[in-house]
Amino acid sequence: MDFKHNISILGSTGSIGTQTLEVVRAYTGIRVWALSTYSNIGLLEKQAREFKPELVCVVDEKKAEELKIKLADTDIRVSGGIESLVEAATYPKARTVVTAVVGIAGLVPTIEAIKSGKDIALANKETLVTGGHIVTRLAKENNVRILPVDSEHSAIFQSLQGNPKKIKKILLTASGGPFFGKARVELEHITPQQALKHPNWNMGAKVTIDSSTLVNKGLEVIEAKWLFDVDISQIEVLIHRQSVLHSAVMYDDNGVIAQLGVPDMKLPIQYALTYPDRLPMTGNELDFSDYPDLTFEKPDTETFYAIELAKKAGREGGILPVIFNGSDEAAVDLFLKGKLSYLGITDEISRAMEKVANIQNPSVEQIAEADKYARELVYSRS
């Protein structure tokens, strides 16, 4: 394989990060120069010894010191602290940065990577949710590509290839999560263990909970707005229980082009890393006979009203999407700790959005302040 590529991975020990490294294993032409984690130094050490990056970064500074000792027999440099994410994101030898950290922590490193001319393989939807107006402008100014890694946005991106971008609407699919079809009264006593059982995908805890509440789909609606330069009104969410049709585009002539595949993240990861090439892949071939029925229906936005909150945030813009995201992150944290009910997650998002006075075109500093405000508002009620 004569394919050559140089990458840095932010969040290499998470679900997307580990699957990215599976793709790297398949193609010796992909070289990893930097890896990062928040605190999982056990896995990061194994990754560092296998892939031999020049830099590894650990946000938890105490853990970074521990890793320095563990990797003392190597030439790998270990950096610590939140600022180390920027160091990994701007590493000179990397051409593309895979942003797979969870939450708003991905915003600043992504901005700095773009400023340094890196292409972005974007798996951190919060980056565009909270700072889309900044990130998309900088990407244009620096001639940087933002290549989506989320399966749905990758499907939309693939469906746009070779076609004039006269989009009538985007059809954004959702599995519906583990509680599809349930009424609100049936969700009053849901436990974290129940909410973490996603029917189709293996993801981290935060994303899995967000998928169950459909908050994740709301975040993806806002992300799609920025990625594909469409209005919120042009994005339609469809419940597709089989997770085979990953999303689609309807054009002005009502023709629909979709991307289908098994529920597997390695294909969208690989496509983001190798675009515009399509390289061979094994083990994920779609057999349509395994899926005799592909179903589609509208979401229940009364029970799962986070989607409507997200659309409101996306329409009004400013810091409202930041409030949506920050209050959700705090609420999910409390839910996982047994300090907030399942229904309380979306209720807390709604309450936080009602409290805020919106600010248009916020700076990075104002985004950080709004995020802090939203979290404190939710935590104050625990």
Side-chain angles (χ1 to χ4, degrees):
M1 178 64 63
D2 59 1
F3 180 81
K4 299 294 181 185
H5 206 41
N6 298 302
I7 69 171
S8 174
I9 305 175
L10 307 186
S12 65
T13 60
S15 176
I16 296 296
T18 54
Q19 291 179 85
T20 299
L21 290 173
E22 288 181 34
V23 172
V24 173
R25 285 190 188 99
Y27 299 104
T28 57
I30 302 179
R31 177 72 163 91
V32 179
W33 293 100
L35 297 171
S36 83
T37 187
Y38 181 81
S39 62
N40 189 351
I41 60 173
L43 180 53
L44 185 58
E45 180 188 359
K46 292 177 182 177
Q47 293 175 343
R49 292 186 181 280
E50 178 181 357
F51 295 97
K52 298 177 174 55
E54 290 186 349
L55 173 69
V56 295
C57 301
V58 186
V59 175
D60 185 319
E61 294 189 56
K62 290 184 179 179
K63 294 289 186 180
E65 292 301 316
E66 292 180 34
L67 188 58
K68 284 180 183 179
I69 296 171
K70 292 177 181 291
L71 292 176
D73 62 319
T74 74
D75 295 327
I76 299 169
R77 184 163 63 87
V78 179
S79 183
I82 189 67
E83 65 280 358
S84 70
L85 285 177
V86 172
E87 194 173 357
T90 58
Y91 198 72
K93 293 182 179 179
R95 179 66 186 89
T96 296
V97 179
V98 181
T99 59
V101 294
V102 176
I104 198 173
L107 177 60
V108 171
T110 302
I111 287 174
E112 294 306 316
I114 291 171
K115 288 180 178 177
S116 65
K118 315 292 187 190
D119 285 336
I120 306 298
L122 187 67
N124 172 264
K125 59 181 64 67
E126 293 85 356
T127 291
L128 288 181
V129 169
T130 62
H133 61 294
I134 298 172
V135 171
T136 52
R137 173 178 57 79
L138 287 173
K140 289 179 182 177
E141 290 175 359
N142 290 277
N143 196 28
V144 161
R145 299 182 302 182
I146 300 178
L147 303 165
V149 169
D150 273 346
S151 62
E152 295 86 354
H153 298 95
S154 176
I156 296 162
F157 182 65
Q158 292 179 62
S159 298
L160 287 168
Q161 299 308 305
N163 294 288
K165 294 185 178 180
K166 295 183 178 179
I167 300 173
K168 182 174 183 178
K169 69 168 72 171
I170 284 172
L171 303 173
L172 190 68
T173 59
S175 72
F179 308 128
F180 171 75
K182 292 189 179 296
R184 187 172 172 85
V185 68
E186 297 177 87
L187 302 177
E188 290 178 353
H189 303 294
I190 292 296
T191 67
Q193 290 72 27
Q194 291 171 309
L196 287 168
K197 293 179 180 178
H198 195 281
N200 299 331
W201 296 96
N202 180 20
M203 306 173 289
K206 166 65 166 55
V207 179
T208 304
I209 299 298
D210 281 350
S211 294
S212 75
T213 60
L214 297 194
V215 164
N216 193 55
K217 203 53 49 178
L219 294 170
E220 289 177 3
V221 167
I222 301 173
E223 183 182 12
K225 165 192 170 181
W226 291 109
L227 274 173
F228 306 111
D229 191 24
V230 295
D231 190 80
I232 292 293
S233 63
Q234 293 175 272
I235 305 169
E236 179 181 344
V237 174
L238 287 174
I239 301 298
H240 171 52
R241 296 294 285 164
Q242 298 80 21
S243 298
V244 169
L245 191 152
H246 296 297
S247 278
V249 176
M250 179 181 287
Y251 289 90
D252 284 346
D253 60 1
N254 295 326
V256 177
I257 295 180
Q259 186 265 325
L260 292 82
V262 297
D264 186 301
M265 282 302 300
K266 289 194 288 294
L267 190 153
I269 292 169
Q270 179 173 299
Y271 190 65
L273 294 183
T274 63
Y275 175 79
D277 296 314
R278 301 195 78 107
L279 302 187
M281 180 174 281
T282 59
N284 67 335
E285 185 174 334
L286 176 64
D287 184 343
F288 278 94
S289 66
D290 291 335
Y291 301 92
D293 298 305
L294 298 181
T295 61
F296 304 90
E297 52 192 292
K298 296 184 183 299
D300 175 3
T301 55
E302 291 186 8
T303 301
F304 301 96
Y305 71 102
I307 289 181
E308 294 305 310
L309 293 176
K311 287 183 177 180
K312 173 181 171 65
R315 283 193 301 269
E316 297 187 16
I319 62 168
L320 208 56
V322 184
I323 299 297
F324 178 90
N325 179 72
S327 57
D328 172 65
E329 289 193 18
V332 170
D333 179 48
L334 290 177
F335 170 65
L336 289 171
K337 292 175 179 176
K339 297 181 178 180
L340 183 68
S341 70
Y342 180 75
L343 292 176
I345 296 173
T346 307
D347 291 345
E348 286 297 325
I349 297 171
S350 178
R351 190 176 73 90
M353 288 176 62
E354 290 173 358
K355 289 272 187 180
V356 70
N358 205 1
I359 300 171
Q360 291 298 323
N361 299 310
S363 64
V364 173
E365 292 74 22
Q366 288 173 317
I367 290 170
E369 290 171 4
D371 177 68
K372 182 181 178 182
Y373 169 80
R375 293 167 190 271
E376 289 178 348
L377 191 63
V378 174
Y379 283 129
S380 69
R381 289 166 57 85
S382 65

